[in-house]
Amino acid sequence: MSLIQQQKRDFLPLLTTMSRLLATMAPWDGQKGLKQVKQIIRVSVVLWLFVVAGMSAVVAGTVANLYDEQLVVESQSPETLKKAAAEALERVFIRVSGRGDIASNAAVAGVLARPEPLITQYHYQRSKGENGEDILLLSLSFSPRQVNSELQSAGLPVWSANRPAVLVWLLADTAEGRQFVGTDSQAELLKDLKEVAQRRGLDLQLPLFDLADSTNLTSDQLWQMSVDDVRRASARYSAPFVLMGRASQFSTGQWIASWMVLQGDEVIRLESEGLDGRDLLARPVGALADLQASKYSVVASGGVNSANSLIHVSGITNFAAYADMITYLEGLAVVQHANTVWLSDNELILELVLNDDMEKVKRFLSLDGRLMEEPASTVVMNSAALSVRGFYRWSGRHL
C-alpha cells in the first residue's frame, strides 16, 4: 500500500464520521451551525490534499549541495583557506564517491594537497555557535565536472545526486525515558543524525509519527528490534532502505546502540558506541552509505566493461519533455550520453553511452519513477530493425 493510499485509508473514516456528525447536528445547530460545520469539513479536505501532495511515496530523492561545504575557521588568511579547502574537498570527494576512505588514495591525496583549482567560489560570514559564541564560517563550492574527473582519473566511482531514500526508526533510552528520535524529543540526537547523514550524502527520511505510525509500531516493538513489525510500519513509506536502531545513553554521556539495515529481504546487523551522538551514528550511517554506493556508484570503465544500449521511450509530447528527459538521463552517473537514433510522433529510440552495464541503468531508473519500464508486449514499435534493450514511458514526475 502506498503512502497516499494509507493516508486516504486513515483520513476517509474521519470524513465519514464528521459527515454523520453533521447530519446529527444540523437540526440542532440550525443553518448557521450547518454552514460552520460544512466549512470545517471543506478545510479538512483541503488540508488533507495538501498533505497528500507533499507526501507521495518515498522512494528516492535528489541529495542537494553534493559539491558544497561549510566549515568554521579561525581566520581569513591564505594558509587557513588552503587547509580548510582541503578538508572541505575531502568531504565532497567522500559524498560524491561514496567511499569513506577516500584520502588513502594516492591520486586523491595529491589533489587534496592543492585544492584551489577545483574551487568555483567561496565566501566568509560571521555567525553564532551552538553556545552563542562568535564564529567565522567559510562556505566553498567546487566544480562538479572537475571533482568527477579527478575521481574517475583516480579509478574511483562517481555517485550521482539521485539516491535511494533511507527511512530511520530510532529509539533513544535516556534519563528522560524511551523516546522516538524525530518527534519533539531528542532534538540533539536528531541534529547529529542529520549532520552525519549529510556528510555521507544519504537521502534521510523520518517517519511522520502520526496516528498510523503509533498504531503500526510501538516503542516496545522497536526496542525488541522486531524486524517484521518495522517492515509493516515502513511499508506505507516505500523506502528502499530502512535503518532501525535502539540506543542507550549512560549517566557519563556515552552511548551504545544496536542497529539493523533492511533492504528487501536482506538484514544487516551492526553495533556502535560513542562519546556523543555523532560518534554513535558514524558506523551505521557509514555502512549504509557504503552499501548504497556499491550498488549505485559508477566507475568509468572506458568501454572495457560497458556497452552502448538502445532503449525505446514513449510519452514525449513536446520538445520541453524531450529536453527534460535527456537532461535527466545524462545526469545519471551511469550514463555518459543519450543520443537519439530514431524518432516518430511521441516516441523515440535512444542510444545510451554507458559507464557501466544496463542493469545498473535499470537500478537507477527504478528509484524515482520518472522513466517507467513497460512490458515489451504493450509497445507497438515502428522500427523493428533496431535491437532495443528496454521499453520505457516518460512521466517526468517523481513517484
Side-chain angles (χ1 to χ4, degrees), residues 187-226:
E188 190 64 28
L189 194 57
L190 177 60
K191 178 183 175 184
D192 292 338
L193 175 62
K194 291 180 176 179
E195 180 181 321
V196 174
Q198 189 274 337
R199 286 280 185 93
R200 291 304 306 265
L202 292 185
D203 178 31
L204 196 68
Q205 305 288 345
L206 292 170
L208 300 174
F209 296 110
D210 57 5
L211 180 60
D213 282 341
S214 63
T215 302
N216 292 334
L217 186 67
T218 66
S219 58
D220 287 342
Q221 289 170 327
L222 182 54
W223 190 256
Q224 294 165 10
M225 300 295 277
S226 173

Side-chain angles (χ1 to χ4, degrees), residues 16-142:
T16 302
T17 302
M18 291 178 67
S19 298
R20 290 172 180 169
L21 179 62
L22 172 62
T24 303
M25 293 178 61
W28 176 76
D29 244 358
Q31 290 301 315
K32 183 177 180 180
L34 176 62
K35 182 177 180 181
Q36 290 174 338
V37 177
K38 283 182 176 180
Q39 181 66 23
I40 291 173
I41 292 178
R42 282 196 293 268
V43 171
S44 299
V45 172
V46 171
L47 288 175
W48 176 75
L49 290 174
F50 273 113
V51 170
V52 169
M55 291 166 30
S56 58
V58 176
V59 176
T62 300
V63 178
N65 305 317
L66 278 181
Y67 300 87
D68 303 330
E69 193 54 72
Q70 187 177 74
L71 303 93
V72 177
V73 294
E74 296 180 355
S75 71
Q76 300 185 29
S77 68
E79 295 79 11
T80 300
L81 173 61
K82 182 175 182 178
K83 181 180 178 181
E87 181 180 349
L89 181 56
E90 181 180 356
R91 294 182 185 180
V92 169
F93 276 145
I94 290 172
R95 276 200 299 273
V96 176
S97 69
R99 298 283 184 86
D101 58 348
I102 197 80
S104 62
N105 182 284
V108 169
V111 177
L112 294 178
R114 191 169 170 270
E116 296 91 342
L118 278 71
I119 299 174
T120 57
Q121 63 178 356
Y122 69 92
H123 68 272
Y124 296 93
Q125 67 182 77
R126 298 285 178 181
S127 186
K128 294 289 185 181
E130 294 182 359
N131 300 317
E133 73 278 15
D134 292 329
I135 58 174
L136 179 63
L137 292 174
L138 170 61
S139 299
L140 302 104
S141 296
F142 297 92

